[in-house]
């Protein structure tokens, strides 16, 4: 009898702080994973995160853009973003949020991300959008960096704003990362993020459907994040619960898989990879 392991399948596994970075690269940088995220989570765009719905009939693409809009709006409400702002995008992925931030506010966005292929897609798209023009100062930067190893010492007090979209769940040590983000943020700066969390009081076993498909350590809870943010030195902390949107998004993912199954199979995605969703 032979068995085959599906790459990116993390069933019954919760990773240690040492393992998690390599597993994140496996989750996102594998060729079939990139095809899957393009069709299913991005809805054809560059965003690979959950969506917020204005109406239940919104598409995956539309809901992903709504998440971006809400995140950028809250960041701007907290501290106005101007053309002189320098924004750090933590876990910038394909760069969709970085591009929207730079286009909307005319600021420079500096992404950090662990995936070489995603970083290339980010910068290629920034050039297509006219954000990065040869001979001019680029609006979008992106460094290949594992934030679990800390941020550059020369970045202390460098950024006016920090944003992050569904990335901190992959952090090996959340308290240390939040302290690093405090260090690189200017006094009076703003930090806004979304993340996948377990609800306060949730049993870890209930979260298996998520952890079986994502490279994570123990999932954080809202109350835990509030405490960690205070310990790291952040002030005026607020929280919004977007979990009611998930039922619409998960159905949208299923619809995208069925609609584009043939496309994804033709581009090298295994049936077993699709079936696990």
């Amino acid at each position: 009898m032979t068995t085959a392991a599906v790459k990116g399948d993390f069933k019954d596994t919760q990773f240690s702080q040492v393992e998690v970075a390599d597993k994140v690269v496996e989750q996102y940088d594998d060729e079939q994973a990139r095809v899957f995220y393009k069709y299913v989570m991005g809805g054809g765009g560059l965003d690979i995160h959950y969506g917020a719905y204005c109406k239940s009939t919104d598409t995956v693409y539309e809901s992903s853009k709504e998440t971006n809009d809400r995140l950028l709006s809250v960041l701007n409400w907290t501290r106005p973003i101007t053309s002189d702002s320098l924004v750090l995008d933590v876990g910038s992925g394909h760069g969709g949020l970085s591009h929207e931030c730079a286009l909307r506010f005319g600021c420079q966005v500096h992404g950090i991300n662990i995936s070489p292929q995603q970083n290339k897609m980010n910068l290629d798209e920034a050039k297509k959008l006219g954000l990065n023009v040869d001979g001019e100062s680029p609006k979008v930067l992106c460094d290949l960096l594992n934030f679990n190893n800390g941020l550059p010492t020369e970045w202390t007090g460098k950024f006016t704003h920090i944003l992050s979209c569904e990335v901190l769940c992959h952090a090996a040590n959340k308290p240390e990362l939040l302290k690093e983000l405090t260090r690189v943020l200017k006094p009076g700066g703003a930090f806004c993020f979304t993340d996948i969390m377990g609800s306060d009081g949730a049993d870890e076993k209930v979260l298996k459907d998520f952890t079986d498909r994502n490279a994570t350590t123990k999932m954080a809870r809202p109350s835990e994040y509030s405490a960690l943010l205070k310990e790291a030195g952040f002030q005026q902390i607020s929280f919004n619960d977007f979990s009611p949107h998930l039922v619409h998004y998960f159905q949208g993912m299923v619809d995208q898989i069925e609609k584009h199954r043939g496309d994804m199979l033709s581009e090298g995605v295994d049936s077993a990879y699709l079936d696990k969703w």
Side-chain angles (χ1 to χ4, degrees):
M1 179 178 179
T2 61
T3 59
V6 179
K7 205 168 186 180
D9 186 354
F10 306 131
K11 187 175 181 181
D12 298 323
T13 306
Q14 195 169 71
F15 297 107
S16 69
Q17 294 183 12
V18 174
E19 296 175 304
V20 70
D22 288 341
K23 294 302 179 180
V24 169
V25 174
E26 178 180 321
Q27 179 178 339
Y28 291 108
D29 225 22
D30 176 64
E31 179 60 33
Q32 66 176 356
R34 289 200 300 276
V35 173
F36 175 84
Y37 282 113
K38 176 183 70 174
Y39 280 108
V40 177
M41 294 200 73
L46 293 180
D47 301 302
I48 49 174
H49 54 68
Y50 293 125
Y53 285 74
C54 294
K55 53 185 185 299
S56 60
T57 54
D58 285 347
T59 65
V60 165
Y61 178 86
E62 289 169 336
S63 71
S64 297
K65 292 302 180 185
E66 179 65 20
T67 295
N68 290 353
D69 181 67
R70 295 185 186 195
L71 184 56
L72 292 174
S73 293
V74 172
L75 187 67
N76 184 51
W77 293 341
T78 308
R79 173 174 174 162
I81 307 172
T82 71
S83 58
D84 294 324
S85 298
L86 181 56
V87 181
L88 176 64
D89 185 354
V90 179
S92 47
H94 297 142
L97 189 58
S98 292
H99 305 153
E100 289 191 36
C101 185
L103 287 168
R104 180 167 170 176
F105 299 106
C107 60
Q108 187 178 70
V109 184
H110 195 141
I112 56 173
N113 195 56
I114 200 172
S115 164
Q117 289 298 325
Q118 288 184 346
N119 293 349
K120 182 180 184 304
M121 292 173 66
N122 178 351
L123 296 177
D124 286 348
E125 184 67 15
K127 195 165 186 178
K128 290 178 185 177
L129 292 170
L131 291 166
N132 292 359
V133 179
D134 292 341
E136 298 181 10
S137 178
K139 288 294 186 181
V140 175
L141 303 170
C142 187
D143 287 344
L144 181 63
L145 190 149
N146 177 4
F147 55 56
N148 293 310
N149 296 330
L151 303 179
T153 55
E154 63 271 20
W155 284 7
T156 298
K158 179 175 182 177
F159 299 96
T160 57
H161 300 75
I162 300 175
L163 58 81
S164 181
C165 190
E166 293 175 22
V167 172
L168 302 191
C169 58
H170 300 301
N173 187 322
K174 293 178 181 65
E176 288 304 312
L177 175 59
L178 291 173
K179 290 174 184 176
E180 280 290 272
L181 296 181
T182 308
R183 177 179 65 81
V184 302
L185 191 63
K186 290 180 181 291
F191 171 38
C192 186
F193 72 97
T194 65
D195 201 25
I196 307 300
M197 314 174 200
S199 63
D200 287 317
D203 189 318
E204 203 69 24
K205 294 178 181 178
V206 177
L207 307 175
K208 270 180 53 44
D209 280 347
F210 177 80
T211 57
D212 281 356
R213 293 164 175 79
N214 292 270
T216 62
T217 54
K218 182 179 180 294
M219 291 180 68
R221 308 297 193 262
S223 60
E224 181 184 0
Y225 265 130
S226 293
L228 292 176
L229 287 163
K230 290 177 183 177
E231 291 173 9
F234 289 101
Q235 301 176 355
Q236 300 180 11
I237 298 162
S238 62
F239 167 73
N240 288 306
D241 182 2
F242 284 1
S243 58
H245 297 271
L246 289 175
V247 64
H248 302 296
Y249 192 86
F250 289 148
Q251 183 59 56
M253 287 181 66
V254 172
D255 294 343
Q256 287 291 104
I257 290 171
E258 293 308 309
K259 180 179 180 180
H260 295 289
R261 176 177 287 268
D263 296 320
M264 289 187 281
L265 291 174
S266 70
E267 292 185 38
V269 179
D270 293 333
S271 291
Y273 185 94
L274 296 178
D275 291 342
K276 71 173 183 161
W277 296 89

